[in-house]
Amino acid sequence: MTEVIAVFDIGKTNKKILLFDSNFKVVKQHEEKFPVITDDDGFECDDIDLITSWISKSLEEIVAGDEFDLKGVNFSTYGASLMFLDENGHRLTPVYNYLKEVSASIAEDLFAKYGGKNEFCRKTASPALGLLLNSGIQTLWLKQEKPDVYNKAKSVLHFPQYLSYTLSNEIVSEPTSIGCHTFMWDFDQMKYHQWIADNKIALPEPINNDVVFLADVAGKEVKVGTGIHDSSASLVPYLKASPAKFILVSTGTWCINMNPYNEEPLTASELEQDCLCFLTPNKEQVKSSRLFMGHFHEVWAEKLAKHFDVPGDSFKTVKNDEKLVADLLNKYGDTSVYFPNGKESFDEGLKVVDLSVFANYEEAYTKLMIDLTALCITSINLAVPENDETEILYVSGGFARNPIFIELLKKSFPAKKVLISEIDNSSALGAAMVISDTLSEADVAKLDLGIQE
């Protein structure tokens, strides 16, 4: 039988189980979509009972079969959702949706007591998001809105740790969940922020993600991981297998640039420019910046297609024409056509840009990519410290397939290797890798980062 680690990769839309062998190859994968339910306020949320029942049944099937020898289980999930347990370890609440809006006064009171909004957000490396996305707010919201429930709570777990708890019965915290826009972690002191103790919130001290617990899973002794926040999990394969220090440029609807080698404290200015910090599985800071690049691209690509009367996906066939790029750079210099006053002028650009200045679709789209890449470079540079030791830019996601984007990045970062890296299921892979010691033959050196130069 093949030794495997099972990872449950729980996203908002899709829930997957993946089995990884000792070479970190996926040997089996299954995906489910579960209907959502509503919480006690009528707001949409995940059906936690359905999810945990599916997890149990899936593990029972693996153990009962004769194909795989289950050695470890871990969880990679979205963050920003908390679970409250009573003195008997029973769940008190639904898994509240992190998009749920709560009264702004809760956060404002917190800011007022602890140094003002700018300093509090800087210290916790958390933009004020106005929702339960700042998961620490959920504790204060529950205390204010549902005191009867809150007063019964003896333990508070982030979502990945709750799923782990359903198997291990261990109440733990870990760096990746508490370090990501939660308002809970003081990055200056590298410990829980003072307001947690002042409010007597029952958060366990964080342990590193490579800790495992022996648990009985369907009658078999299996090692269970702590669970890990999916954003941090996607960084793990690079932390384990990259030959040199790097920045990961993860592109999609959001372009998120992650630098695990930037120890500089977050500044108020960086926070205003959409930067934040989170933690690696070893409790080290990751400076991160983000840009709504995929969304900007999608809206403008549709507008260009209509104007030039071409199919909506015509951008997929536009090649990197070096002469055209050079001509456009000579003509416009650093002036952006599509974003006349930076990324904040996206809506303004949609109204004022005169597309008739371009001879054809290829020219208009190439200039769009020049302008978008310039915004992205500014965003990447926010994650680069003064004494930069990174040697590689890994580019993953949708824009890794855009030749104009990749060539412009190479020109802008001549001292770094710009490498396209396509890793399927990177969050699930990271969750498997942090507990890879559960497999007797696991070898990080065998990991394929999917590199294309």
Side-chain angles (χ1 to χ4, degrees), residues 393-447:
L393 271 185
Y394 290 114
V395 185
S396 68
F399 285 93
R401 295 184 286 276
N402 188 303
I404 304 171
F405 178 69
I406 294 298
E407 287 307 312
L408 287 169
L409 278 188
K410 286 179 179 177
K411 286 188 172 69
S412 296
F413 295 99
K416 299 188 194 304
K417 266 190 178 177
V418 177
L419 302 175
I420 296 167
S421 172
E422 287 303 338
I423 301 177
D424 292 331
N425 302 302
S426 60
S427 294
L429 175 60
M433 292 188 77
V434 291
I435 62 161
S436 61
D437 287 351
T438 60
L439 298 178
S440 55
E441 301 295 325
D443 184 359
V444 174
K446 296 175 185 172
L447 181 67

Side-chain angles (χ1 to χ4, degrees), residues 9-15 32-34 36 43-46 51 77-81 95-100 159 230:
D9 192 28
I10 310 292
K12 272 307 221 187
T13 307
N14 301 321
K15 308 340 183 199
E32 290 275 357
K33 284 188 181 178
F34 296 124
V36 293
F43 197 86
E44 189 178 278
C45 70
D46 264 327
I51 292 170
T77 87
Y78 57 82
S81 293
V95 53
Y96 289 114
N97 190 327
Y98 58 64
L99 297 178
K100 188 178 176 112
F159 188 40
D230 53 13

Side-chain angles (χ1 to χ4, degrees), residues 374-409:
L375 293 180
C376 186
I377 289 161
T378 299
S379 182
I380 292 169
N381 280 325
L382 288 169
V384 176
E386 191 172 335
N387 297 315
D388 178 30
E389 295 180 352
T390 60
E391 298 173 29
I392 300 173
L393 271 185
Y394 290 114
V395 185
S396 68
F399 285 93
R401 295 184 286 276
N402 188 303
I404 304 171
F405 178 69
I406 294 298
E407 287 307 312
L408 287 169
L409 278 188

Side-chain angles (χ1 to χ4, degrees), residues 296 300 303 332-355 358 367-368 370-372 374-375:
F296 294 162
W300 266 117
K303 195 173 173 77
Y332 291 101
D334 293 333
T335 303
S336 176
V337 169
Y338 294 94
F339 307 91
N341 294 299
K343 64 182 181 182
E344 284 75 24
S345 62
F346 169 64
D347 291 330
E348 176 192 342
L350 288 172
K351 293 173 191 164
V352 304
V353 171
D354 177 11
L355 294 176
F358 299 113
K367 177 56 177 164
L368 172 64
I370 290 171
D371 290 0
L372 267 179
L375 293 180

Side-chain angles (χ1 to χ4, degrees), residues 141-354:
W141 167 77
L142 197 70
K143 187 177 184 180
Q144 178 178 301
E145 299 296 323
K146 305 176 194 290
D148 292 347
V149 177
Y150 182 82
N151 290 335
K152 292 176 189 168
K154 298 301 176 203
S155 304
V156 182
L157 298 177
H158 270 97
F159 188 40
Q161 284 68 65
Y162 174 72
L163 294 181
S164 173
Y165 164 80
T166 63
L167 298 182
S168 70
N169 219 34
E170 297 282 348
I171 291 172
V172 299
S173 180
E174 51 76 38
T176 70
S177 293
I178 55 173
C180 192
H181 56 69
T182 63
F183 281 168
M184 292 177 171
W185 193 254
D186 182 335
F187 276 80
D188 290 351
Q189 305 292 327
M190 290 305 269
K191 64 181 185 179
Y192 284 123
H193 194 284
Q194 185 59 40
W195 75 267
I196 298 291
D198 291 349
N199 283 274
K200 299 182 172 60
I201 294 167
L203 289 171
E205 280 303 306
I207 59 176
N208 286 359
N209 291 84
D210 56 0
V211 175
V212 292
F213 302 100
L214 282 175
D216 183 306
V217 175
K220 176 178 170 60
E221 191 174 71
V222 173
K223 292 175 179 174
V224 177
T226 61
I228 185 169
H229 183 218
D230 53 13
S231 298
S232 295
S234 67
L235 199 58
V236 170
Y238 299 93
L239 288 169
K240 294 274 191 184
S242 178
K245 293 182 179 180
F246 63 89
I247 296 169
L248 176 60
V249 180
S250 176
T251 69
T253 303
W254 285 95
C255 176
I256 302 174
N257 313 297
M258 293 176 268
N259 186 351
Y261 308 99
N262 183 341
E263 296 176 356
E264 292 178 354
L266 188 71
T267 65
S269 169
E270 287 168 346
L271 196 63
E272 282 177 14
Q273 295 175 79
D274 231 351
C275 291
L276 59 101
C277 292
F278 54 96
L279 297 173
T280 70
N282 292 327
K283 219 188 288 181
E284 292 163 337
Q285 173 178 289
V286 178
K287 181 77 71 80
S288 181
S289 60
R290 65 178 193 162
L291 176 70
F292 210 10
M293 190 164 75
H295 174 70
F296 294 162
H297 178 275
E298 182 183 352
V299 174
W300 266 117
E302 185 180 330
K303 195 173 173 77
L304 291 182
K306 280 183 183 168
H307 179 85
F308 290 100
D309 195 22
V310 298
D313 63 351
S314 295
F315 63 87
K316 292 179 180 176
T317 59
V318 178
K319 300 199 166 35
N320 179 53
D321 182 333
E322 291 195 5
K323 183 179 184 309
L324 177 57
V325 170
D327 288 347
L328 288 167
L329 288 172
N330 284 335
K331 180 176 180 180
Y332 291 101
D334 293 333
T335 303
S336 176
V337 169
Y338 294 94
F339 307 91
N341 294 299
K343 64 182 181 182
E344 284 75 24
S345 62
F346 169 64
D347 291 330
E348 176 192 342
L350 288 172
K351 293 173 191 164
V352 304
V353 171
D354 177 11

